[in-house]
Amino acid sequence: MKFDFKKVVQDFQWVKIPALAMILYGLIGELIFHKICLFRILWGIPCPGCGITRALFLAIQGNFLEATKMHPLWIVLVIGVPVVLLERYLVLSEQTTKRIKRINRIVLYILMAVFLVFYIYRMVVYYPNSAPMVYDSDNIREFILRIFQKKF
């Protein structure tokens, strides 16, 4: 078992432009809309991952209970990202790599379902009265509706 530095360099080369695009999107979103979440910008509603960044920052500060209140699935990122990185950059036998990729794919589908179910639960129980599950009226949908209401 060894680490594949060549693959890391290739990935950095491949991810440069998308990373720059994401940074630019974040800056523009923050400067114009004062938020970066596309759900909030377009419709004013929270997305399935809403609060997960704040939860990660709270966890980094040692506030694990507050992090879990903000978004209990923050731990998925803390565990999942290193697992995916290890799978990507550790050189293992072909059979082991195939098995790990198959397991990762199954886990990914399960996590997507968990995120969706948890999102629906949060929208039913907490929306729109409890942060981060609040309605943001400063969104593009509201802006367009105001324009149409003035015109007609």
Side-chain angles (χ1 to χ4, degrees):
M1 177 169 43
K2 64 181 184 173
F3 198 76
D4 190 349
F5 288 106
K6 195 175 193 178
K7 201 181 278 187
V8 173
V9 172
Q10 288 172 343
D11 285 353
F12 272 112
Q13 292 297 319
W14 181 82
V15 83
K16 276 191 303 195
I17 293 174
L20 282 172
M22 286 178 63
I23 291 168
L24 185 62
Y25 161 78
L27 289 172
I28 291 171
E30 190 60 39
L31 289 172
I32 295 174
F33 300 103
H34 308 292
K35 54 186 123 337
I36 59 171
C37 178
L38 191 59
F39 269 61
R40 284 205 190 271
I41 290 170
L42 293 175
W43 301 293
I45 62 172
C47 70
C50 197
I52 208 158
T53 303
R54 286 176 270 181
L56 287 170
F57 282 118
L58 287 166
I60 289 169
Q61 296 168 2
N63 298 326
F64 300 110
L65 182 60
E66 289 300 314
T68 304
K69 286 179 185 176
M70 186 59 66
H71 199 300
L73 300 176
W74 66 269
I75 195 72
V76 169
L77 292 178
V78 172
I79 295 169
V81 170
V83 167
V84 169
L85 292 175
L86 285 173
E87 180 265 320
R88 172 82 179 134
Y89 298 116
L90 279 182
V91 178
L92 303 168
S93 72
E94 189 175 330
Q95 183 181 7
T96 304
T97 301
K98 282 182 182 180
R99 191 175 312 132
I100 290 172
K101 283 184 180 185
R102 186 174 38 238
I103 291 168
N104 281 352
R105 190 174 301 120
I106 292 167
V107 170
L108 176 65
Y109 291 138
I110 291 168
L111 288 176
M112 287 175 15
V114 168
F115 264 85
L116 184 61
V117 168
F118 185 65
Y119 175 65
I120 293 168
Y121 168 78
R122 286 174 60 174
M123 289 298 281
V124 169
V125 174
Y126 297 112
Y127 181 79
N129 301 319
S130 182
M133 305 305 287
V134 295
Y135 180 73
D136 188 347
S137 62
D138 183 23
N139 64 67
I140 292 174
R141 180 186 153 275
E142 286 287 332
F143 177 75
I144 292 170
L145 287 175
R146 283 192 295 269
I147 289 173
F148 278 107
Q149 287 172 350
K150 287 179 184 178
K151 297 265 186 199
F152 303 106

